[in-house]
Amino acid sequence: MFVPTEVIGHRGLGRGTVDGLLENTPESFAAAAAAGASWVEVDVRRSADDVLLAYHNAALPDGRLVVDLPAAECRAAGVATLDEVLDAVPAHVGLDVDVKTVLEDAVDAPARRTVALLAPYLRRQVRFRRLFVCSFDPSVVLAVREQAPGVATAWMPFVRNPVDQAVAGAAGLGCELVAIDARSFGLAGEPERPGRRSPEETVEAAHRAGLRVVSWCPGPADSVRLAAAGMDAVVVDDVPGTVRALAAAAPASARPAG
């Protein structure tokens, strides 16, 4: 699935506002691809009228929950639809789809749940581009395996989960990947903790378990550190800086001619 070590643009070019582009917008995803990201990560959640949107937070800045609003109101607030995002991402760029489930997914009719609405997109997209689905919610992994067979999945445990549990949990869920916060390795300024596993130990164990490993969200220097440990991909907020740092750190034999 990956060639060492690939760059995944976090919510496009990066979270928040980067170079004047808002996260999870078509413009941000197109800019990430142009800056050298070989994958992009898009957050997906549903509106009250079952339209899939590219949006990270549960609520708009004014506090209204996205799941309580029709798509038209979300669009008026600047939220992009998944269709708009997919139209902006070139086919050669892979998709890391981060599914944001909501409380209503536990009680609404199965056909209205977020993964059920997403599954037709996944079945179409996987025919022509690299693709995987990730989530903090293990039920997403199980639902994708059932409703979109052949689509790879990744479990994303929270940062405080030991990486041992992350790898074991992803393998037990039948995932192809595990996604681990860079802070779990003591990177990104996280203080040292007793018993913490190194990136090398984690990658080696995950690969032995048949899992690829993705880390989010290291800076450029930490991305180089993770690449040296064998990390398969990094989800980053600084796409141009990370692409440059990885290229500079690559062995001369691996660099493009000229």
Side-chain angles (χ1 to χ4, degrees), residues 6 8-11 41 96 214-218 233-237:
E6 294 201 76
I8 303 176
H10 188 211
R11 308 176 197 171
E41 184 246 29
D96 166 5
V214 177
S215 187
W216 51 279
C217 288
V234 286
V235 182
V236 302
D237 289 311

Side-chain angles (χ1 to χ4, degrees), residues 136-253:
F136 293 110
D137 183 348
S139 73
V140 167
V141 170
L142 301 177
V144 169
R145 288 177 58 197
E146 177 185 345
Q147 298 178 41
V151 173
T153 56
W155 183 45
M156 301 170 62
F158 286 101
V159 62
R160 295 303 178 190
N161 271 44
V163 294
D164 306 55
Q165 294 179 15
V167 173
L173 286 167
C175 295
E176 288 77 16
L177 307 97
V178 60
I180 300 174
D181 193 311
R183 291 173 293 177
S184 297
F185 301 115
L187 304 178
E190 186 74 3
E192 186 58 48
R193 294 201 305 270
R196 174 179 276 144
R197 300 284 189 174
S198 70
E200 287 81 2
E201 289 178 294
T202 303
V203 169
E204 194 274 337
H207 286 177
R208 284 174 53 200
L211 297 167
R212 303 294 91 188
V213 193
V214 177
S215 187
W216 51 279
C217 288
D222 285 338
S223 293
V224 171
R225 165 78 176 88
L226 292 171
M231 190 67 57
D232 295 288
V234 286
V235 182
V236 302
D237 289 311
D238 182 357
V239 172
T242 303
V243 169
R244 288 194 298 268
L246 291 175
S253 60

Side-chain angles (χ1 to χ4, degrees), residues 45-50 58 64-69 100-115 117 137 139:
R45 59 174 66 250
R46 66 182 173 99
S47 66
D49 49 353
D50 297 339
R64 292 179 296 163
L65 291 175
V66 171
V67 74
D68 292 340
L69 299 173
K100 304 298 185 184
T101 50
V102 291
L103 185 61
E104 289 75 7
D105 285 327
V107 295
D108 279 351
R112 294 197 61 211
R113 296 173 188 171
T114 304
V115 171
L117 299 171
D137 183 348
S139 73

Side-chain angles (χ1 to χ4, degrees), residues 116-153:
L117 299 171
L118 179 63
Y121 288 87
L122 299 176
R123 292 193 293 265
R124 289 193 297 270
Q125 292 288 318
V126 77
R127 295 173 188 164
F128 65 88
R129 75 161 87 234
R130 298 181 298 168
L131 170 69
F132 72 91
V133 174
C134 66
S135 184
F136 293 110
D137 183 348
S139 73
V140 167
V141 170
L142 301 177
V144 169
R145 288 177 58 197
E146 177 185 345
Q147 298 178 41
V151 173
T153 56

